[in-house]
Every structure is written in C-alpha cells, then in structure tokens.
Amino acid sequence: MTVTTENGKIKPVQELEQIEFMTGTELEKADIEKPFFIIKKVLPTGLAILASPPKFGKSWLVLLMALCVAEGQRFLGFDTEKVTCLYLALEDSSARIKERTEKIMNGKPFPENFIFSVKARDISHGLVEQLEIFMQQRPDTKLIIIDTFQKVRGSMGRGESAYSADYRDTGTLKSFADLHKLCIVLVHHTKKARDVSDVFSNISGTLGLSGAADTMFVLSREKRTDETTLLSITGRDVEPQEYSLTFDKNTCRWRVLGEASEVVPQTEIRRYNADPLVQAIRKLVERSPDSHWCGSVSAIQKEAL
C-alpha cells in the first residue's frame, strides 16, 4: 500500500498500476510491429473516418471497398489484402445491399468473406459486445465498415461536452480496432459550412473525432453537379494524398482518374471551355476582322442564348 501526504498528514491511497516505460536504448533494439495495411498506402489498421456531404455516393464507395478487400482485388488502383470484411449497412435494407452488390459484381459470384448486416446496437447499448462476439466467430476479420457512424453514436452523459462525447465514442472504437489489430471505417457526414482552406476541418462534429482517428478520407466537389469528385486522404501512417474520382453509372463503380494535381487543371480547362459566355466571346472574335471584337455585355449575352 502506497501513501501520500495531505496537509501534513499521511493519507493512504489505492495502489495503482505502474507506468509501463521503455528507455531509448530498449526502443532502438525493440521489434515493434508496424501497422498492417488493408489497402496499400491508404488504409492501415486503426480507426478511419470517411466523410462527405449527403448523397455523394460514399455508401457505394465503401461497399466497393468491402467487396474489393474481400476478393483481394485492387481498390481505386491500390492493392488490397484479401481479408474478411464486415459491412454494417445501418441505413439500408438487405434487398438494397443485394441489388447494389449485384451491380458492382456484374455477374461474378459474391465473395464468401464479405459479411454484412443491417442491424447493430449503438455504443452505449452493446455494440462493442456485439463486435466482440462476432470476432470470436470470425477472427479472420480485418475490416469493419460502419455506415453510418451516427447510427451507433452513444448517449451523451449529463453535463458531458460534445468534444468529450465525440472523443469517447471514437476512442472506444479505436481501442477495439487496436486490440484486434483491424481497421474500423466510420462513414460520416461533413458540415454544411465549407472551409476551403482545410477539407478535413469540414468533418461534422468536434475535433474529438479527428483527434481519435488514425486515417481520414473526405469526398468533396466545388459544385455538387461536378462530374469529378476530390478524394483527400491524410493520417498518422499515410502520406497526405488527393485523387480525382468519377462514378461510372453503368458499372456503379467509383474509379480513379489520377492524382488531383494532374487532373484538376484539366478539369478546370474543360469547364472554362464549356462556359457559354466564353464560347460566345470566341464566336464574336472569330467573326470579327483581325480577330478583334469590341462590344457590349448584352451582345455577348445575346450570342450565348
């Protein structure tokens, strides 16, 4: 039993666990296991958040992720490890998941180690216990996707701050992921107010979410009607990356167009060239002598009609 002093008096306290420590020399010689990447270069074990505005196709993206990982096929051009995946599609029905999977697989057999459910408890009422039981049944599982995070949020305690609640919920799931050396992907939303300077600050909630997450993915567009979508990636064990994606409505698959730094300028050029006002000005210039035209805004607008 250890003792301490308080106001000059000896006061017994409960015996606590000692801090586990390691010296620099021991650390240098230690063989410490590195993170295991489910998807090479972008998705290691731990807790990940994938966020976007509503109706951006993120459920299609994580379903494709689950199927690619279950098959060991490339996902958005990245190699994957073939492992068992649990997809909790908590905003969908079994019929919708089957229909979407049929479209993505396009006649191919569904992967045996792709497992899904449309029901699960929230964090305050047994989700972690349910996942523990599942892991006893399928210990080969290395990827769990929860779509959406909001469906499993725990109840806020009286007087608890939003930051504490965010950090508690994500911290609970991260601890589970670390314990079982797997990856949990939380599908989440972004805020209505958009911060163009830092796309990751747009993730809905407090900094308690990003503080607990190991990896973050954000889907964004300059305009909702844009054909290309920007996928931004950052994390503790991944390099910051940005890719331009497009959704193929015929195959119902997301595909990568290339690194954003290469694709975005081309997209901006196409958008500029397609602008009706730009096209109208070009026509007026081409029809004018010496490729020079001088006129009013109303004349440009009339030409653009």
Side-chain angles (χ1 to χ4, degrees):
M1 181 71 67
T2 58
V3 295
T4 187
T5 60
E6 185 177 272
N7 298 325
K9 297 180 180 180
I10 297 178
K11 178 183 176 183
V13 297
Q14 293 182 349
E15 189 167 351
L16 302 175
E17 295 180 2
Q18 294 183 9
I19 295 177
E20 295 183 9
F21 63 89
M22 185 181 294
T23 67
T25 302
E26 292 170 335
L27 177 61
E28 182 181 8
K29 297 178 180 179
D31 184 15
I32 299 176
E33 186 177 1
K34 295 181 179 180
F36 172 78
F37 276 78
I38 311 297
I39 302 174
K40 301 300 182 183
K41 297 182 179 180
V42 297
L43 187 63
T45 52
L47 182 71
I49 295 175
L50 187 151
S52 83
K55 311 301 180 185
F56 252 52
K58 54 184 173 292
S59 289
W60 281 104
L61 183 62
V62 293
L63 176 58
L64 177 63
M65 176 191 292
L67 294 169
C68 287
V69 168
E71 283 194 301
Q73 299 295 320
R74 302 192 86 190
F75 172 72
L76 300 180
F78 296 99
D79 291 333
T80 66
E81 290 289 340
K82 185 177 181 179
V83 296
T84 295
C85 172
L86 172 63
Y87 178 36
L88 298 180
L90 305 179
E91 292 187 340
D92 284 310
S93 64
S94 296
R96 183 179 298 161
I97 296 301
K98 181 177 181 181
E99 180 183 4
R100 289 187 172 189
T101 304
E102 286 174 340
K103 290 179 178 179
I104 292 176
M105 297 306 295
N106 192 28
K108 293 172 58 180
F110 292 9
E112 174 64 26
N113 55 343
F114 166 68
I115 303 171
F116 86 98
S117 178
V118 295
K119 293 182 180 180
R121 297 194 173 197
D122 64 39
I123 294 172
S124 296
H125 299 90
L127 173 65
V128 172
E129 290 76 8
Q130 285 184 318
L131 293 177
E132 286 286 0
I133 293 171
F134 175 82
M135 289 303 298
Q136 293 176 14
Q137 299 169 329
R138 295 301 301 258
D140 54 331
T141 301
K142 290 296 179 183
L143 177 61
I144 298 175
I145 299 172
I146 301 177
D147 185 5
T148 63
F149 176 46
Q150 192 61 34
K151 298 289 287 188
V152 300
R153 294 298 309 268
S155 304
M156 284 188 66
R158 178 177 296 181
E160 184 178 26
S161 68
Y163 179 92
S164 296
D166 284 346
Y167 198 84
R168 170 176 47 78
D169 285 348
T170 50
T172 297
L173 294 174
K174 174 175 167 52
S175 295
F176 180 88
D178 291 344
L179 176 65
H180 293 280
K181 298 180 180 179
L182 53 79
C183 177
I184 293 179
V185 175
L186 303 178
V187 180
H188 197 41
H189 297 301
T190 52
K191 302 173 184 176
K192 290 183 179 180
R194 183 182 172 198
D195 183 350
V196 296
S197 65
D198 181 9
V199 68
F200 299 103
S201 68
N202 294 325
I203 296 175
S204 182
T206 69
L207 293 176
L209 294 182
S210 55
D214 297 293
T215 313
M216 293 184 290
F217 302 81
V218 174
L219 296 172
S220 61
R221 298 181 195 134
E222 185 173 333
K223 297 179 181 178
R224 177 172 280 276
T225 55
D226 286 351
E227 294 183 359
T228 58
T229 300
L230 180 67
L231 172 63
S232 304
I233 307 170
T234 192
R236 295 187 175 99
D237 298 303
V238 300
E239 295 292 330
Q241 305 162 64
E242 288 191 327
Y243 299 93
S244 288
L245 309 181
T246 186
F247 184 72
D248 189 330
K249 295 181 180 179
N250 295 320
T251 62
C252 294
R253 283 176 171 254
W254 283 93
R255 61 186 181 89
V256 65
L257 299 175
E259 293 188 18
S261 59
E262 299 174 355
V263 176
V264 170
Q266 300 173 14
T267 302
E268 293 299 323
I269 292 172
R270 288 196 296 269
R271 182 182 293 136
Y272 175 81
N273 290 332
D275 190 301
L277 292 179
V278 172
Q279 294 177 349
I281 293 172
R282 283 176 174 169
K283 289 178 182 178
L284 291 169
V285 171
E286 290 171 358
R287 291 202 300 262
S288 300
D290 302 324
S291 297
H292 177 79
W293 177 83
C294 181
S296 64
V297 173
S298 59
I300 298 174
Q301 293 173 333
K302 184 178 179 180
E303 183 67 31
L305 295 177

